[in-house]
Amino acid sequence: MIIIPGPASQELGQKIAQLLEARVVPVEFKLFPDKESYIRFDGDVENKDAIIVQTTSPPQNERLIQLFILADNAKDQGARSITAVIPYFAYTRQDKRFRPGEAFSVKTIMTLLETCGVRRVITVNSHSPKILRSFKIHVDDLSAVGLLAEYFKDKGHDGALALSLGKKAIEMAVEADEVLGGGYGCLSTQRDRITGKVTVSKGSFQAKGCEVIIFDDIISSGGTMAKAVKLIKAEGANKVIAACVHPILVGNSEERILKSGADEIVGTDCVSSSLSNVSVAPLIAKALSIRGV
Ligand code: R5P
């Protein structure tokens, strides 16, 4: 097995390789002045099981093209198998045609990955695991919620109430509660498909006087999390922490969430940021060592 850390996941790729004691094939890359990507493998991949590590957080279009080029290059150079580790999988929120005439974007991405020779995808807390699994490529959707919860426990937050955003994401709160043990619940969210406006409403739990950790898969503009934090603060929570797997953090999202009353924001290195305090490298290394390639 060889690890190929893509331009977007250099550090994470190295960490995974270290944990697996696997050889790294460095990637020489640059952006031409017109922003086209140049990719070259500085090592042999022939007859090897190639693991490409490339997240697709913004600039997602550039990173996706790099991922396709990396995979296709591994195929051309004779790799025996190609696994794409895509910690943050872009476009999974467009997992169906919500309005007539809309593109089914995630289908396009999966089709291109398959064409480029990818046979297995490993991703983390994908927004649409069920949809991803409906294509030909084998998909392993891992959860980093346990790692986040362990991080909070180590920091002395055991006993905190774990809340998740959106009814469908209740498993996140349940998983966190298995580590934190302070109970769980969920907040309902609803997004207007045309204006993008999000409404957050409370579920059947008591936050008054509690330390609360709100878990979401993605913090993008921060609008959803900011509304959730504000609501829980208004319920009388003592402390509110915003946790996410993918800290996309567009624009002033961090400030927005802190201003709404969050004491802290924590994410993972699925997306590299100043708030990515939790590494998913052990999770990915374990998935690669258990099932192989
Ligand atoms: C929505 O379905 C996701 O789980 C997140 O809640 C959402 O993507 C967050 O987006 P934003 O930070 O822009 O409100």
Side-chain angles (χ1 to χ4, degrees), residues 11 14 23 43 49 67 89 103 112-113 119 170 179 183 188 208 234 255 276 291:
E11 211 177 305
Q14 293 286 351
R23 179 164 72 85
D49 294 310
L67 175 60
F89 199 122
L112 288 168
L113 284 171
R119 294 293 169 263
I170 187 72
V179 178
S188 304
K208 196 171 170 49
E255 191 190 341
S276 303
R291 187 181 171 267

Side-chain angles (χ1 to χ4, degrees), residues 134-199:
S134 67
F135 303 103
K136 278 192 196 152
I137 299 178
H138 177 90
V139 175
D140 289 309
D141 182 59
L142 313 176
S143 176
V145 174
L147 286 175
L148 278 163
E150 292 289 353
Y151 169 86
F152 291 121
K153 191 175 175 185
D154 288 349
K155 294 272 173 196
H157 301 299
D158 48 328
L161 172 67
L163 296 182
S164 57
L165 279 165
K167 274 188 191 144
K168 277 199 289 180
I170 187 72
E171 322 84 66
M172 289 183 102
V174 173
E175 199 183 335
D177 180 51
E178 278 165 15
V179 178
L180 296 167
Y184 66 89
C186 76
L187 293 150
S188 304
T189 58
Q190 209 145 23
R191 187 179 291 270
D192 185 306
R193 282 280 149 200
I194 296 171
T195 61
K197 195 171 171 246
V198 179
T199 318

Side-chain angles (χ1 to χ4, degrees), residues 31 49 71 87 110 268:
L31 280 183
D49 294 310
M110 288 301 272
T268 79

